[in-house]
Amino acid sequence: MAPALELLEKPVQSLRTKALPSARNEPALGLDLKLESTERHQRVMSVFRAFIADLCQQFGEGHAGSPLGMAAIGVALYKYVMRYSPGNCNYFNRDRFVLSNGHACLWQYTFMHLVGVESMTLDQLRSYHSAKLDSLCPGHPEIENEGVEVTTGPLGQGLANAVGLAMASKNLAATYNRPGHEVVDNMTWCMVGDACLQEGVGLESLSLAGHWRLNNLCVIFDNNSVTCDGTADVANTEDINMKMRATGFNVVDVYNGDTDVAGNDKPTFLNIRTVIGFGAYNAGTADVHGAALGVGEVANLKRSFGLDPNDHFHIPQDVYDFFSEIPSRGRSEEIDWQKAVARYRKEYPDLGAEFALRVAGKMVQDWSKYIPGKEQQPSAVTASRKSAGVITNALAENINSFLVGTADLTPSCNVAFNNKVDFQSPDLQTACGLDGNYSGRYIHYGIREHAMCAITNGLSAFNKGTFIPMTSTYFVFHLYAAAAVRMAALQGLQQIHIATHDSIGVGENGPTHQPIAVAALYRAMPNILYIRPCDAEEVAGAYISAIEATETPTVISLSRQGLVQYPEYSSREGAMKGGYVFAENEGGGFDVTLIGVGSEMVFAMKTREFLQAEYGIRARVLSFPCTRLFEQQSREYKLEVLKPRAEKPTVVIEAYPSNGWERYADASVAVNSFGKSLPSKDTYDYFGFAPERIAPKVKDLVEEVRRDGIGILRGDFREFNGPLRIGLSH
Amino acid sequence: MAPALELLEKPVQSLRTKALPSARNEPALGLDLKLESTERHQRVMSVFRAFIADLCQQFGEGHAGSPLGMAAIGVALYKYVMRYSPGNCNYFNRDRFVLSNGHACLWQYTFMHLVGVESMTLDQLRSYHSAKLDSLCPGHPEIENEGVEVTTGPLGQGLANAVGLAMASKNLAATYNRPGHEVVDNMTWCMVGDACLQEGVGLESLSLAGHWRLNNLCVIFDNNSVTCDGTADVANTEDINMKMRATGFNVVDVYNGDTDVAGNDKPTFLNIRTVIGFGAYNAGTADVHGAALGVGEVANLKRSFGLDPNDHFHIPQDVYDFFSEIPSRGRSEEIDWQKAVARYRKEYPDLGAEFALRVAGKMVQDWSKYIPGKEQQPSAVTASRKSAGVITNALAENINSFLVGTADLTPSCNVAFNNKVDFQSPDLQTACGLDGNYSGRYIHYGIREHAMCAITNGLSAFNKGTFIPMTSTYFVFHLYAAAAVRMAALQGLQQIHIATHDSIGVGENGPTHQPIAVAALYRAMPNILYIRPCDAEEVAGAYISAIEATETPTVISLSRQGLVQYPEYSSREGAMKGGYVFAENEGGGFDVTLIGVGSEMVFAMKTREFLQAEYGIRARVLSFPCTRLFEQQSREYKLEVLKPRAEKPTVVIEAYPSNGWERYADASVAVNSFGKSLPSKDTYDYFGFAPERIAPKVKDLVEEVRRDGIGILRGDFREFNGPLRIGLSH
């Protein structure tokens, strides 16, 4: 295999002439990007590689292989191709770079150091894989650190994020650019390894990038043919170039010198053959994937490059000099952009003001006027997916920050807003009669829930606050998307997931579509709001909470079936506290507390009536749309809501497993098995959700506590519908 | 668009000459499969379509569109191509059929009725979308029902299952067939819609089917170009045929009449253009996807087919006659197979006996001898992934029922067994020097965790008990695979998932790889065992539980880091009860109960020592590897283990969120945020897992309870590390 070294001219040429849209074909801003000599490149890459080898050796572990192989690609990108400003990594119109093969992070960290990102000191680099708290060089790139666009690591996610970042640029450009005023024209570069092209989320995202003809996206395949298990052939023998062409990419094949490139109206796939662990004895094998090379081998590598094996972590001045003009180049690019924006704002004051707000990551101040007031809420039975649709519709129709997506469930999720324009390539109008353009804010993701949410992370991460993306699908498919939503929570990315068809009320679609246990995941996941409103008023509260949670994604969990509205009981303020007293008896007396959640509130309220009418038992009802929000309240508030537990029993009623409710309740009416293929009402009946079946069990519990004291319930949680069992598929 | 009608001859021809391996090219067993006249086909399809329209109309909903379009494909498959026996749907060597677009289930149910599956009566068909409990016609096909191979519905899963079913045939054939004795030679047919080809899990699986050259798999694409959101073009404009060829499939393009087929050494992709809702006024639009047609429209459809609009649910005798020879054809195929097996068992008595055992769905009786006895367990610090590896190795090396897979983590998961042979196409030896063949039982899935688990469901479902497939990857990637593992639990499929690198002890890979919250999902999911053993002895218990759970998948959750072994305390029998008393004090006295889980047991045990030494506080320790197994125990057993909760506090120590532990504990030492990129030990320190930091908090709690009574802890769960918060990414 030819080392990537000699190929440096070709990637640079390919990247600059093939991957860039025409507007960016010429070196940006008139700067001279003439290539240095081959010898100089050789020298820079040798020093880079020796340095990587030293870094992994110091702690005896880490990922050296890919960074060694990717040296030439790095020089091409950081020296010649990417537009960025090391002195201000957050410069708005910068090119975005995503290292989707995040374990190769040393590569990125070291180039950041070389090009002059000040925080990335030699000491920081040496903190890789160390016990240093808050190192800027963690084992995978993390968004909190300067110069990192997204946290990557779980493979395939970064590639999807890159598609989102490219979409964000396209949407902003189509919305705000005017002739002669290109205030947004950045590229997105994404480095991938074999894994990202094998993972489903990567494949889904590539299909969409090709479909949308995102010519501002360049995917660079570090094709080193080696994975942890050995040769990549062991599990993959497909024709990747043919597959990428079929998916709608320009393919630039560096190893073959293929020049059959159609143009720059499509995204680019740059297939660069590299040698994993280049320069090491075991180069080209899995042995160099995730380990240090060994002391002797590091010395050999340096010797083979003509470097002194006794120099450790050594970057000579001439190598720094090679990159030394980049900070000033970046600064002048940034200044030119600021001037361009100033001219634009002068010529287009209204648009310019909105653009400035978006750049600042802010939303319009008066968004709350699009949330219906309590007096505007319906009193008739209404599905919460419909109540939510009213709000999504108003927000999205009026505020450009909202991008609304659907995984092919437009007719079911009620998120298609008035006057919506689809996000599509305008070329598809001619090609297949599709309406839409890049300023569109309604996104058809196809049947690709995982890519939808992972791409959404890129939209959110483009510049925090510039977009509040929404997604929509059935809640059960948030299991397909869970790894992506988790990455949003981990990164503190604001977004709103409209998750309809929750609970067993979805009906005839049956157990495969009834999201048993999915809520337990989202309730346990850090930094996410999972909100199950019980009626339209609580839906309003859910949206307000979601919009105010600027560092947190929200999943709003909604019913397919119609829900009884509780204008006398429900309150958005209560919902925003996560849990609150919903129905109290006169004088405050009670014998039992019932917790109603989401679409099951009706069973709590009807059971309350039944208990009173049949047995004279007084029940008080709590509404509990969001356990996470409740946990943020003061201990006093929590104990005030829950206080009856000190002496009276509490029963939770929800069509999910009881797991987690033990914190607040002593017993449950729950669904501790998979669901059932029956019409909505019959499914509830089947699982015992009926006041006349719940009430006698509550009565027995109340009587037991009266007789034997509340202490009997400690450590003896009662599941009225029986526990989760094994060996039973239903 | 041309209706599929006229194309019936072509699918039949294509399926019989292009999709079948050479051994199956000729009509099986000498039966005459000559085609009937075009008129007769027209008649059968018209009646079929009218019947489908009636079924959806009766309840005013359901999925009519795809079944109407797929009528011709059904006639081709059920009348002319598939080998099956309606009188015994479980005939071992039958072709497997998977309806991956499961919402089109009426199509399958109706053909089952027509070909003579006795349980599928007209009354059963009319129970589709009704409130009939245990209908054989639920909204998606369900494995519990006769003639259904796998439960489908979540899109893409069925396609992956089909790949697993085809692998199962290949493996059995390569293991047991001998020259002149083809005891396993069945095909797998899989019907897919647009969605299955968009979903990542489908794409991952197709890559593997192509790589493995599974020429016993035929994927039939019902290409009707319409999804819920309208034209499929709205989110997909790729060249699917080119993509499938790049992926390693023969592509047979029925609409174009393409005959450029390479041979039958690859899987086949049959791209059949159909018209969704064929015969209906809105045919070819999304309106006919998931709704009844309307009374008038059903009548029109019948009239257009020359049928009486007043006949409802009417299947005339001549249509039954068209399929009438199929039961006897199936019976004679089955009898011939039984004779063939008898001849085989005579000639190969040992192999034949093993084959008979596999056909009966049984494992060898003496499997338990491969589980090390307590006396063979290590006493030195050992990672539980290593303890598990010892057992996997012994089981897989010696018992053909075990198929062991990895998502490219052979070096990390310790599941590569002695003398393993890779599952590979023997053709790849020549093509790229890969060792292995179809009898191999070590499966390289590539970096495709979702496909790995979804394909595993096909392996498990081939014939329950014939295989006990294992998978291996990091536990965090069980979030990628969760939708597939859920389908295993829903279907009661036995399989063992080796999930290594659990907890925060994975170290430098950082927060993206630390599986916070994933355990909460698997603990809440019905019918699955999530087991976190604390040492090698509990690992042995986990394997025994997994092997004995014949209707339940198991996830064994294992550490990367070395674990202290507790030969004096741990017990496999205790582990198999899910939770048990681990360390008791002399005389049974105690002040507090500590629950240790998995790799965090060491902190429970050290805190116990610290409490005694520093404060004279007596702690008893419970081990709790599996909450689900614990819940299966008698109430008496549970209260005996937990009984101290009546008067003394209980504290759980686990490096996951506390959610769910409130059932057993009053306080937690938990990880209620995402993890941290630090070496293993430092990560634990960072999150406060250290006896000298835990013990003072436990002491305070004990003193509070002594002072104020145990009642103060009701409804006031204490999180020593603080609650899960929002607005914080770390």
Side-chain angles (χ1 to χ4, degrees):
Chain A
M1 295 255 276
L5 176 68
E6 298 91 305
L7 301 170
L8 183 57
E9 286 71 22
K10 193 172 278 292
V12 173
Q13 182 198 355
S14 300
L15 290 167
R16 283 178 46 195
T17 62
K18 308 276 171 53
L20 290 169
S22 52
R24 285 278 301 272
N25 260 351
E26 290 306 308
L29 307 166
L31 291 166
D32 181 8
L33 299 181
K34 208 173 63 177
L35 259 61
E36 298 272 356
S37 70
T38 301
E39 291 68 27
R40 196 124 193 244
H41 291 149
Q42 168 78 66
R43 163 85 174 157
V44 169
M45 289 189 279
S46 295
V47 168
F48 173 89
R49 287 179 165 126
F51 185 77
I52 296 284
D54 278 338
L55 284 179
C56 287
Q57 195 55 44
Q58 70 176 336
F59 294 111
E61 62 180 21
H63 285 87
S66 297
L68 292 178
M70 288 155 52
I73 300 172
V75 174
L77 282 175
Y78 279 92
K79 168 89 177 176
Y80 296 114
V81 180
M82 281 205 294
R83 186 165 73 194
Y84 63 105
S85 179
N88 176 12
C89 290
N90 293 324
Y91 155 45
F92 190 80
N93 198 29
R94 70 190 179 277
D95 286 358
R96 265 62 173 178
F97 174 78
V98 177
L99 189 76
S100 192
N101 50 344
H103 55 276
C105 55
L106 267 188
W107 176 92
Q108 184 174 5
Y109 301 151
T110 303
F111 276 109
M112 284 165 61
H113 171 72
L114 291 172
V115 302
V117 175
E118 283 194 12
S119 57
M120 192 56 78
T121 60
L122 274 180
D123 274 355
Q124 278 293 349
L125 284 171
R126 293 188 63 172
S127 72
Y128 171 75
H129 271 223
S130 76
K132 179 171 164 7
L133 198 57
D134 298 320
S135 157
L136 297 181
C137 297
H140 292 89
E142 297 185 357
I143 193 172
E144 292 79 4
N145 296 336
E146 190 181 8
V148 175
E149 304 292 357
V150 281
T151 300
T152 58
L155 295 162
Q157 297 292 330
L159 176 51
N161 301 161
V163 174
L165 289 165
M167 287 172 73
S169 303
K170 283 284 183 197
N171 180 261
L172 290 172
T175 305
Y176 296 106
N177 286 356
R178 289 294 178 268
H181 296 273
E182 309 274 314
V183 289
V184 179
D185 68 346
N186 68 307
M187 280 287 293
T188 298
W189 310 91
C190 181
M191 185 81 77
V192 300
D194 287 286
C196 301
L197 302 175
Q198 292 187 14
E199 289 283 7
V201 64
L203 298 175
E204 293 177 5
S205 303
L206 290 169
S207 291
L208 285 166
H211 169 72
W212 287 321
R213 305 196 178 193
L214 299 174
N215 68 349
N216 60 343
L217 172 69
C218 179
V219 176
I220 303 168
F221 177 25
D222 173 37
N223 185 354
N224 62 31
S225 301
V226 171
T227 65
C228 292
D229 276 12
T231 163
D233 284 348
V234 83
N236 204 58
T237 44
E238 67 195 1
D239 182 335
I240 184 68
N241 284 353
M242 182 176 174
K243 186 171 171 182
M244 291 304 298
R245 287 195 182 95
T247 305
F249 275 69
N250 288 331
V251 173
V252 180
D253 205 326
V254 170
Y255 179 69
N256 291 334
D258 181 359
T259 55
D260 176 23
V261 179
N264 58 6
D265 59 339
K266 301 176 182 177
T268 297
F269 180 75
L270 192 62
N271 184 347
I272 305 189
R273 271 61 162 196
T274 63
V275 178
I276 192 168
F278 182 86
Y281 177 76
N282 284 325
T285 75
D287 294 337
V288 292
H289 171 84
L293 301 178
V295 175
E297 192 45 43
V298 172
N300 283 338
L301 178 141
K302 290 179 187 169
R303 272 189 218 101
S304 77
F305 290 149
L307 301 174
D308 184 342
N310 297 314
D311 282 346
H312 294 289
F313 307 105
H314 181 54
I315 301 179
Q317 188 55 42
D318 65 298
V319 172
Y320 283 119
D321 291 345
F322 179 81
F323 294 103
S324 62
E325 91 287 4
I326 292 176
S328 62
R329 185 179 85 194
R331 263 191 304 278
S332 74
E333 284 183 4
E334 192 181 353
I335 289 166
D336 287 346
W337 177 76
Q338 284 163 345
K339 288 180 186 162
V341 171
R343 286 193 300 274
Y344 169 74
R345 291 195 61 175
K346 202 164 174 190
E347 190 152 340
Y348 301 94
D350 291 349
L351 206 58
E354 186 180 299
F355 180 68
L357 202 63
R358 302 286 299 276
V359 170
K362 293 189 179 142
M363 216 201 343
V364 290
Q365 291 291 316
D366 60 349
W367 59 266
S368 61
K369 73 181 181 193
Y370 301 113
I371 312 280
K374 177 139 192 169
E375 67 292 354
Q376 297 163 279
Q377 299 291 15
S379 55
V381 166
T382 308
S384 53
R385 62 174 164 152
K386 293 211 169 140
S387 310
V390 170
I391 302 178
T392 296
N393 199 315
L395 290 169
E397 186 181 351
N398 293 291
I399 305 177
N400 278 335
S401 306
F402 290 98
L403 263 61
V404 178
T406 183
D408 195 49
L409 285 171
T410 297
S412 304
C413 293
N414 296 96
V415 293
F417 52 92
N418 291 340
N419 306 315
K420 77 175 172 65
V421 173
D422 285 357
F423 179 90
Q424 295 285 6
S425 163
D427 293 356
L428 292 178
Q429 175 75 60
T430 340
C432 53
L434 276 185
D435 289 334
N437 62 65
Y438 290 131
S439 78
R441 294 184 291 102
Y442 193 77
I443 309 169
H444 293 280
Y445 287 100
I447 303 111
R448 303 178 181 103
E449 299 81 7
H450 196 175
M452 173 170 72
C453 292
I455 288 172
T456 292
N457 293 348
L459 293 170
S460 297
F462 181 82
N463 186 57
K464 283 195 179 183
T466 298
F467 295 97
I468 302 183
M470 294 191 185
T471 74
S472 65
T473 186
Y474 294 168
F475 182 46
V476 76
F477 297 123
H478 273 275
L479 211 46
Y480 275 62
V485 179
R486 173 178 180 268
M487 289 303 293
L490 175 67
Q491 296 178 79
L493 299 175
Q494 185 176 24
Q495 48 195 230
I496 303 176
H497 299 284
I498 307 298
T500 68
H501 294 59
D502 73 350
S503 86
I504 55 174
V506 315
E508 301 84 344
N509 268 331
T512 63
H513 282 53
Q514 293 162 6
I516 310 300
V518 185
L521 170 66
Y522 285 102
R523 285 181 177 140
M525 194 181 280
N527 193 38
I528 194 165
L529 299 180
Y530 172 72
I531 311 180
R532 279 196 81 198
C534 80
D535 71 356
E537 177 63 8
E538 289 195 357
V539 168
Y543 273 79
I544 298 169
S545 294
I547 292 173
E548 290 181 347
T550 57
E551 301 279 327
T552 300
T554 300
V555 177
I556 305 182
S557 181
L558 301 160
S559 73
R560 175 198 189 213
Q561 72 272 29
L563 300 184
V564 173
Q565 303 294 303
Y566 291 100
E568 290 172 52
Y569 300 101
S570 70
S571 112
R572 67 189 65 195
E573 294 78 15
M576 290 165 67
K577 290 200 170 88
Y580 64 105
V581 180
F582 197 74
E584 198 81 82
N585 298 294
E586 265 188 278
F590 69 98
D591 305 298
V592 64
T593 298
L594 304 178
I595 298 178
V597 191
S599 52
E600 286 76 69
M601 176 56 84
V602 65
F603 301 107
M605 291 298 277
K606 285 192 173 167
T607 299
R608 176 176 183 251
E609 281 174 37
F610 195 99
L611 284 166
Q612 181 66 52
E614 295 292 317
Y615 311 121
I617 289 176
R618 296 162 304 163
R620 109 197 228 278
V621 174
L622 308 182
S623 180
F624 234 116
C626 181
T627 53
R628 181 67 40 81
L629 285 170
F630 184 73
E631 288 299 319
Q632 312 307 301
Q633 307 308 313
S634 68
R635 187 166 170 228
E636 291 65 37
Y637 177 80
K638 287 195 271 185
L639 292 177
E640 190 188 310
V641 173
L642 298 171
K643 67 173 182 289
R645 280 196 82 201
E647 44 198 36
K648 309 280 171 61
T650 302
V651 180
V652 63
I653 302 176
E654 188 182 35
Y656 288 153
S658 341
N659 299 48
W661 285 114
E662 301 95 336
R663 179 175 295 215
Y664 313 112
D666 305 292
S668 69
V669 178
V671 177
N672 286 332
S673 65
F674 287 105
K676 198 81 191 163
S677 182
L678 288 171
S680 177
K681 189 189 165 306
D682 301 280
T683 318
Y684 277 107
D685 282 349
Y686 175 78
F687 285 104
F689 286 80
E692 66 277 14
R693 290 169 66 190
I694 298 172
K697 292 171 180 166
V698 174
K699 169 178 158 278
D700 289 349
L701 187 72
V702 168
E703 287 173 354
E704 188 184 347
V705 169
R706 278 180 184 155
R707 191 177 58 237
D708 302 329
I710 193 73
I712 54 156
L713 289 176
R714 277 183 54 79
D716 190 18
F717 189 83
R718 308 295 171 86
E719 290 177 296
F720 291 156
N721 293 350
L724 283 152
R725 298 197 70 81
I726 61 167
L728 300 163
S729 61
H730 282 257
Chain B
M1 295 257 272
L5 177 67
E6 299 91 303
L7 300 170
L8 183 57
E9 285 73 19
K10 192 172 277 292
V12 172
Q13 183 197 353
S14 301
L15 290 168
R16 284 180 43 195
T17 62
K18 307 278 171 51
L20 288 169
S22 52
R24 284 278 302 269
N25 261 352
E26 291 306 308
L29 308 166
L31 291 166
D32 181 9
L33 298 181
K34 206 172 62 177
L35 257 63
E36 298 272 354
S37 70
T38 300
E39 292 68 29
R40 195 126 192 242
H41 291 148
Q42 168 77 65
R43 163 82 174 160
V44 168
M45 289 189 278
S46 295
V47 168
F48 173 89
R49 287 178 165 127
F51 185 78
I52 295 284
D54 278 337
L55 284 178
C56 287
Q57 196 54 45
Q58 69 177 337
F59 294 110
E61 62 181 23
H63 285 87
S66 297
L68 293 178
M70 288 154 53
I73 300 172
V75 174
L77 282 175
Y78 280 91
K79 168 89 178 176
Y80 296 113
V81 180
M82 280 204 294
R83 186 165 74 193
Y84 63 106
S85 180
N88 176 13
C89 291
N90 294 325
Y91 154 45
F92 190 80
N93 198 29
R94 70 191 179 276
D95 286 358
R96 265 63 172 178
F97 175 78
V98 176
L99 189 77
S100 192
N101 51 343
H103 54 276
C105 55
L106 268 187
W107 177 92
Q108 184 174 6
Y109 301 152
T110 303
F111 275 110
M112 283 166 63
H113 172 72
L114 291 172
V115 302
V117 175
E118 282 193 13
S119 57
M120 192 55 80
T121 60
L122 274 179
D123 275 356
Q124 278 293 348
L125 284 170
R126 294 188 61 174
S127 71
Y128 171 76
H129 271 224
S130 76
K132 179 171 163 9
L133 197 58
D134 297 320
S135 157
L136 297 182
C137 296
H140 292 89
E142 297 185 357
I143 194 173
E144 293 79 4
N145 296 333
E146 190 181 7
V148 174
E149 304 292 356
V150 281
T151 300
T152 58
L155 295 162
Q157 297 291 330
L159 176 51
N161 301 161
V163 174
L165 290 165
M167 288 173 73
S169 303
K170 282 285 184 198
N171 180 261
L172 290 173
T175 305
Y176 296 106
N177 286 356
R178 288 295 177 271
H181 295 274
E182 308 275 312
V183 290
V184 179
D185 69 346
N186 69 306
M187 282 286 293
T188 298
W189 309 92
C190 181
M191 186 80 78
V192 300
D194 286 287
C196 300
L197 302 175
Q198 293 186 16
E199 289 284 7
V201 63
L203 298 174
E204 293 177 3
S205 304
L206 289 169
S207 291
L208 285 167
H211 169 71
W212 287 320
R213 306 199 178 190
L214 298 175
N215 67 349
N216 60 341
L217 171 69
C218 178
V219 176
I220 304 168
F221 177 25
D222 173 37
N223 184 354
N224 61 33
S225 301
V226 171
T227 65
C228 291
D229 276 13
T231 163
D233 284 348
V234 83
N236 204 58
T237 44
E238 68 195 1
D239 183 335
I240 185 67
N241 283 355
M242 183 177 173
K243 186 170 170 181
M244 291 305 298
R245 287 194 183 95
T247 305
F249 274 69
N250 288 330
V251 173
V252 180
D253 206 327
V254 170
Y255 180 70
N256 291 336
D258 181 0
T259 54
D260 178 21
V261 178
N264 57 7
D265 58 339
K266 300 178 183 176
T268 298
F269 180 74
L270 191 61
N271 184 349
I272 305 188
R273 272 59 163 196
T274 64
V275 178
I276 193 169
F278 182 86
Y281 177 76
N282 286 324
T285 75
D287 294 337
V288 292
H289 171 84
L293 301 178
V295 175
E297 192 44 44
V298 171
N300 284 337
L301 178 140
K302 290 178 186 169
R303 272 189 217 101
S304 77
F305 290 150
L307 302 174
D308 184 342
N310 297 313
D311 283 346
H312 294 289
F313 306 106
H314 180 55
I315 301 179
Q317 188 56 41
D318 65 298
V319 171
Y320 284 119
D321 291 346
F322 178 82
F323 293 103
S324 62
E325 90 287 4
I326 292 175
S328 61
R329 186 178 85 196
R331 262 191 304 278
S332 73
E333 283 183 5
E334 194 182 353
I335 289 165
D336 287 347
W337 177 76
Q338 283 163 344
K339 287 180 186 161
V341 171
R343 285 193 301 275
Y344 170 73
R345 291 195 60 176
K346 204 164 170 188
E347 191 151 341
Y348 300 96
D350 291 349
L351 205 59
E354 185 179 300
F355 180 68
L357 202 64
R358 303 287 299 275
V359 170
K362 293 188 180 142
M363 215 199 347
V364 289
Q365 291 291 316
D366 60 349
W367 58 267
S368 61
K369 73 181 181 194
Y370 301 112
I371 313 279
K374 177 139 190 169
E375 67 291 353
Q376 297 162 278
Q377 300 291 16
S379 54
V381 166
T382 307
S384 53
R385 61 173 165 153
K386 293 212 170 139
S387 310
V390 170
I391 302 179
T392 295
N393 199 315
L395 290 170
E397 186 181 351
N398 292 290
I399 304 178
N400 279 333
S401 305
F402 289 98
L403 263 62
V404 179
T406 183
D408 196 48
L409 285 172
T410 296
S412 304
C413 293
N414 296 96
V415 293
F417 51 93
N418 291 339
N419 306 313
K420 78 176 172 66
V421 173
D422 284 359
F423 180 90
Q424 296 285 6
S425 163
D427 293 357
L428 292 178
Q429 174 74 61
T430 339
C432 53
L434 276 185
D435 289 334
N437 63 64
Y438 290 131
S439 78
R441 294 184 292 103
Y442 193 76
I443 309 170
H444 293 280
Y445 286 100
I447 303 111
R448 304 179 181 102
E449 299 81 7
H450 196 174
M452 173 171 71
C453 292
I455 289 173
T456 292
N457 293 348
L459 293 171
S460 297
F462 181 82
N463 186 57
K464 283 195 179 183
T466 297
F467 294 97
I468 301 182
M470 293 190 185
T471 74
S472 65
T473 186
Y474 294 169
F475 183 46
V476 75
F477 296 123
H478 273 277
L479 211 47
Y480 275 62
V485 180
R486 174 178 180 267
M487 290 303 292
L490 176 66
Q491 297 178 77
L493 299 176
Q494 184 176 23
Q495 47 195 231
I496 302 175
H497 299 284
I498 307 298
T500 69
H501 294 57
D502 73 351
S503 86
I504 56 174
V506 316
E508 301 84 345
N509 268 330
T512 63
H513 282 53
Q514 292 162 6
I516 311 299
V518 186
L521 171 65
Y522 285 101
R523 286 183 176 140
M525 194 181 281
N527 194 37
I528 195 166
L529 299 180
Y530 172 72
I531 311 181
R532 279 196 82 199
C534 79
D535 71 355
E537 176 63 7
E538 289 195 357
V539 168
Y543 273 79
I544 298 169
S545 293
I547 293 173
E548 290 181 346
T550 56
E551 302 279 325
T552 300
T554 299
V555 177
I556 304 182
S557 181
L558 301 160
S559 73
R560 176 197 189 214
Q561 72 271 30
L563 301 184
V564 174
Q565 303 295 302
Y566 291 100
E568 290 172 51
Y569 300 100
S570 70
S571 110
R572 67 189 64 195
E573 294 78 14
M576 290 165 67
K577 290 198 169 90
Y580 63 106
V581 181
F582 196 74
E584 197 81 81
N585 297 294
E586 264 187 279
F590 69 97
D591 304 298
V592 62
T593 299
L594 304 177
I595 298 178
V597 191
S599 51
E600 286 77 70
M601 176 56 83
V602 66
F603 301 106
M605 290 298 277
K606 285 192 173 165
T607 299
R608 177 175 182 251
E609 281 174 36
F610 195 100
L611 284 167
Q612 181 66 53
E614 296 292 317
Y615 311 122
I617 289 177
R618 295 162 305 164
R620 111 197 228 276
V621 173
L622 308 182
S623 180
F624 234 115
C626 181
T627 53
R628 180 67 40 79
L629 284 171
F630 184 74
E631 288 299 318
Q632 311 307 301
Q633 307 308 315
S634 68
R635 188 166 169 227
E636 290 65 36
Y637 177 80
K638 288 194 270 185
L639 292 177
E640 190 188 309
V641 173
L642 298 171
K643 66 172 184 288
R645 280 196 83 200
E647 44 196 37
K648 309 279 171 62
T650 301
V651 180
V652 63
I653 302 176
E654 188 182 36
Y656 289 154
S658 342
N659 298 48
W661 285 115
E662 301 93 335
R663 179 176 295 216
Y664 314 112
D666 305 293
S668 70
V669 178
V671 177
N672 287 332
S673 65
F674 287 105
K676 198 80 192 162
S677 182
L678 287 172
S680 177
K681 188 189 166 307
D682 302 279
T683 318
Y684 276 108
D685 282 349
Y686 176 78
F687 285 104
F689 285 81
E692 65 279 13
R693 292 170 66 191
I694 299 171
K697 293 171 181 167
V698 174
K699 169 177 158 278
D700 289 350
L701 187 71
V702 168
E703 287 172 354
E704 189 184 347
V705 169
R706 278 179 184 155
R707 191 175 60 238
D708 302 330
I710 192 76
I712 54 155
L713 289 176
R714 278 182 53 81
D716 190 17
F717 189 85
R718 308 294 171 84
E719 289 176 296
F720 290 156
N721 293 351
L724 284 152
R725 298 199 69 82
I726 62 168
L728 300 164
S729 60
H730 283 257

